[in-house]
Amino acid sequence: MRLRTVMVTAAVTLLGGVAAVAVAAPAMAAGPTATFVKTSDWGSGWEGKYTISNGGTTTINGWTVAFDLPSGSSVSSFWDADMTRSGQRFSFTNKSWNGTLAPGGTASFGLIGAGAGAPANCTLNGASCGGGTDPGTQVPGTPGAPSVTGVTQTSISLAWGASSGTVTGYRVYEGSTLRATVTGTSATVSGLTANTTHTYTVAAYNSAGESARSAAVTGTTSGGTGPQVPGTPGNFRVTGTTGTSISLAWNASTGTVTGYRVYEGTTVRATVTGTTATIGSLGACQNHSYTIAAYNTAGESARSGAVSGTTTGCSTGPLPAHFLTGYWHNFVNPAVELRLRDTPAAYDLIAVAFAESTATPGAVTFAVDSGLSAALGGYSDADFRADIATLHSRGKKVILSVGGEAGRVAVNDAASATNFSNSMFNLISSYGFDGVDIDLENGLNPTFMGQALRNLRSRVGANLIITMAPQTIDMQNPTVSYFKLALDIRDILTVVHTQFYNSGSMLGCDQSFAYSQGTVNFMTALACIQLEAGLRPDQVSLGLPAGPGAAGGGVVSPSLVNQALDCLARGTNCGSFRPPRTYPGIRGAMTWSINWDVSNGNQFANTVDPHLATLP
């Protein structure tokens, strides 16, 4: 993506990091090994990482890792390697920059798997991957046939035989729907209706994946002459927000209903007889999560899934309510070279790419690139500083982006966090930058990067702009490092510009489809993940390439960006995916890059910027 070389491929990420969760390198073995770990598993899919280690005495010049996936499983996206496929055999070959491994060296690549299977029969350059038992053989055995051990009017209790192998827990399914997750060999599925029949299967799982399903067992709840516990309310949703309240609605429960209770955690926030409620007396710009349950004289239903809402009144800081961000190149590539002051007026926030690491862990530095200076006929640091002042006089903001393809900034402990904060503070003070953009391609530690950013803000002040530019894979799950950092610092975070490109197909917030990049569905369904998992709408922006040459995949017409913004802000111009609610505060759009946009006739800025002014 954002490479300083001419060739760009869809497997390389423009701004974001490598694998989302750091995995320790395996112990040194005799010869090369390739070890696998699932960094996340959501039942219908998983995220994994392979680490190739050279435990031998000679340099490896190129590697290929191959493995089998069971029928029904596939690879939906991958990074830091090139993939080929023959049937259910998947082969991953190194990129140009990570294929040479000196003795003791490591490299890694990541992938998203669709389906519950796990890699098996792994080979590294034609030989066994080594590094212990093949991960594919670690999936637990199938649980023993389940039996029904008890029923009530609202529940069915089950028991089954333990699986062989290492078992983390068991999942009870009704059809394809997960009904219970337990660590033992029994479970009770509750919230059922009297005199109804249900069929269940059981699967064991561990970090390597999920076993085959058990034989099925069928049970029927008992009947009763009195009222039964109501069914769970459906389609629980946020219907509106103000600076002091969040309004909720849901579909009526089945059965006899006396009323509904709205919970925040374990606390009842409202009790109503209808299918709407408004929770008031809240503070401005606060996020709250609620569940709903129906009740009658027989008891209370199972709770609904949680929904989150944020009250209005969030400060937009020193930037407009909706704004356009662009990255400016401090290097030479096939796009046009620009002096900073020549940035088109449509851009509100300019991210200078990039600050880079020093010999001091965590510390960063910046200077005008010598190649860029020569290409512009002489462009000095003094010229650059003057250009920042010029942009400030036009009402623009300029931030320094940390990382990029060549960046190797690592903030992994308290000392490096302090070094990062000190060096960024010095650069902000020296050049007049308005903030910092986190764009680390080698992953990050959310604890210490969060510590560094909070320390920096305490020194610069409340107007410090903090942005992030993760790749799509980094924002699929709130537990992944980039997403966790965003949530950890959301009280001081300005905006996240996720790159909706160079990623292949990805799951959206409905977890139903792998949406194809380059579509309105892709942008809206993936933005929805962030919006429903805790980020405020004013902290979410859509990042897209500026046009041909800017990325290897996911290039879209700027008019599609406008459609995605309309879908999220107003509920209009959506594709087949429709978000569960509207987000009028959606912040705007970002593009890689200003230079590429100018090369393509400013089509991105000229199309998207005027549209931002029309958003609510």
Side-chain angles (χ1 to χ4, degrees), residues 159-175:
W160 55 87
S163 296
S164 59
T166 300
V167 176
T168 301
Y170 297 89
R171 298 181 178 122
V172 178
Y173 290 92
E174 184 171 6

Side-chain angles (χ1 to χ4, degrees), residues 426-447:
N426 290 337
L427 290 171
I428 288 171
S429 301
S430 175
Y431 283 90
F433 291 116
D434 298 290
V436 59
D437 172 63
I438 303 303
D439 173 22
L440 297 176
E441 294 193 0
N442 296 300
L444 56 79
N445 183 306
T447 298

Side-chain angles (χ1 to χ4, degrees), residues 160 170-174 177-182 186-189 203:
W160 55 87
Y170 297 89
R171 298 181 178 122
V172 178
Y173 290 92
E174 184 171 6
T177 302
L178 179 65
R179 293 301 189 194
T181 301
V182 296
S186 63
T188 296
V189 181

Side-chain angles (χ1 to χ4, degrees), residues 230-238 248-251 253 260-265 289-294 300-308:
T232 305
N235 192 25
F236 189 38
R237 58 199 182 274
V238 174
L248 307 164
W250 54 92
N251 293 351
S253 296
Y260 299 90
R261 298 182 181 115
V262 178
Y263 288 88
E264 185 169 10
S289 183
Y290 302 104
T291 56
I292 182 78
E300 186 177 271
S301 73
R303 299 218 195 144
S304 69
V307 299
S308 295

Side-chain angles (χ1 to χ4, degrees), residues 1-9 329-338 369 371-372 375 405 546-551 592-601:
M1 298 173 28
R2 247 184 242 179
L3 299 180
R4 306 187 187 195
T5 55
V6 174
M7 297 303 294
V8 184
T9 69
H329 299 183
N330 183 39
F331 50 83
V332 173
N333 75 352
V336 65
E337 291 84 25
L338 291 174
D369 178 72
L372 176 64
E405 179 268 333
W592 178 264
S593 62
I594 294 168
N595 304 68
W596 278 112
D597 194 23
V598 172
S599 298
N600 292 313

